[in-house]
Amino acid sequence: MTNQLIETYLKKLKTSGIERHIPNISVENAEFIKGIIRDKNPKRMLEIGTANGYSGIHFSSILSEWSILTTIEYAWNAHIEAVEHFKECKIKNIISIWGDAKMVIPTLSDNYFDVVYIDAMKREYLDYLLLSLPKMTKDAIIIIDDVIKFRDKMTNLYEFLDRNGIEYNICSTDPDDGIMIINFSDIWKTQFLQDR
Ligand SMILES: C[S@@+](CC[C@H](N)C(=O)[O-])C[C@H]1O[C@@H](n2cnc3c(N)ncnc32)[C@H](O)[C@@H]1O
């Protein structure tokens, strides 16, 4: 599909997501993350929380044709719908996995992902982060969505970062919420990983 057709497809998918109360990424945040992908040119990206594939289509559209997005979703209907959308958009660089991310992540290759995007169950964010650390390359970037509005649901994540002196940036990219960016190297240099 051409970029223009993908854009039209995404607009329709966003509208249908709003009508069906699917918590898809905002356009502003999707564009912000696409900027990071453009700069970093990752070979392998991991998304935790596929939903109907809206964000996955955004990301895959900017990844190079040799790069792969692996995306995980545990709701069967959402997973199947996402796979259909990926097929309709003729996207070949997405691996879509059905399953609980907490079970799936440990089965993925170690030292593999250059970018990890977390957008699933807010209360489980710290679990996803800790499970995916061994799966990241040394210069990986971790992107965590909805970190302002749902801060109360991820207090253990904030406590973990503060306790271990791990630097993070929160970017208020859309009027509604913000995105947290962590460099793997900032976790690596703390005592937390070195003690392991
Ligand atoms: C905020 S939505 C994802 C939106 C998607 N990233 C987008 O912007 O189009 C969160 C999704 O994570 C899924 N989810 C929640 N907990 C999960 C888990 N433990 N493993 C895999 N998927 C999970 C939910 O079923 C839901 O579809």
Side-chain angles (χ1 to χ4, degrees):
M1 255 194 196
T2 62
N3 284 350
Q4 210 175 344
L5 285 174
I6 293 273
E7 250 178 58
T8 311
Y9 197 94
L10 280 169
K11 273 190 190 141
K12 281 193 197 149
L13 201 54
K14 181 74 179 162
T15 308
S16 111
I18 291 167
E19 284 164 9
R20 296 159 60 208
H21 306 289
I22 299 173
N24 292 127
I25 191 169
S26 65
V27 174
E28 292 90 339
N29 285 351
E31 291 306 325
F32 179 78
I33 295 172
K34 279 157 79 175
I36 296 177
I37 296 173
R38 210 175 282 123
D39 290 346
K40 183 144 183 80
N41 192 16
K43 287 196 194 72
R44 300 167 199 118
M45 177 169 176
L46 174 65
E47 174 182 59
I48 304 167
T50 319
N52 58 351
Y54 175 77
S55 51
I57 297 173
H58 266 289
F59 303 153
S60 74
S61 73
I62 203 80
L63 283 168
S64 82
E65 58 180 305
W66 299 279
S67 303
I68 291 189
L69 171 69
T70 300
T71 183
I72 310 171
E73 171 59 52
Y74 76 174
W76 174 250
N77 290 349
H79 164 75
I80 289 296
E81 183 183 336
V83 169
E84 283 305 315
H85 292 308
F86 299 152
K87 256 193 226 157
E88 279 183 47
C89 292
K90 302 195 183 351
I91 292 171
K92 297 202 177 75
N93 59 352
I94 297 186
I95 297 172
S96 192
I97 302 177
W98 173 52
D100 184 334
K102 299 190 298 307
M103 311 295 279
V104 173
I105 296 169
T107 69
L108 302 174
S109 301
D110 286 347
N111 307 314
Y112 195 72
F113 296 99
D114 311 302
V115 174
V116 173
Y117 171 61
I118 299 179
D119 188 26
M121 180 93 74
K122 311 307 163 205
R123 291 186 199 287
E124 295 182 346
Y125 272 16
L126 180 59
D127 299 320
Y128 307 140
L129 176 67
L130 296 179
L131 288 169
S132 54
L133 285 175
K135 312 297 168 186
M136 297 181 201
T137 57
K138 295 272 184 290
D139 61 351
I141 294 181
I142 303 148
I143 304 168
I144 308 182
D145 211 342
D146 302 320
V147 291
I148 298 176
K149 197 163 63 181
F150 296 110
R151 193 185 167 118
D152 287 358
K153 295 189 176 173
M154 49 186 91
T155 45
N156 60 351
L157 171 70
Y158 280 95
E159 277 164 18
F160 165 77
L161 296 172
D162 293 341
R163 192 171 58 247
N164 290 289
I166 296 166
E167 282 175 35
Y168 56 85
N169 280 315
I170 295 179
C171 312
S172 300
T173 41
D174 77 17
D176 193 36
D177 213 324
I179 283 183
M180 182 185 283
I181 308 284
I182 308 172
N183 290 308
F184 179 87
S185 55
D186 284 331
I187 303 184
W188 181 249
K189 70 184 182 203
T190 65
Q191 211 54 26
F192 172 72
L193 276 183
Q194 289 171 14
D195 285 349
R196 294 187 130 196

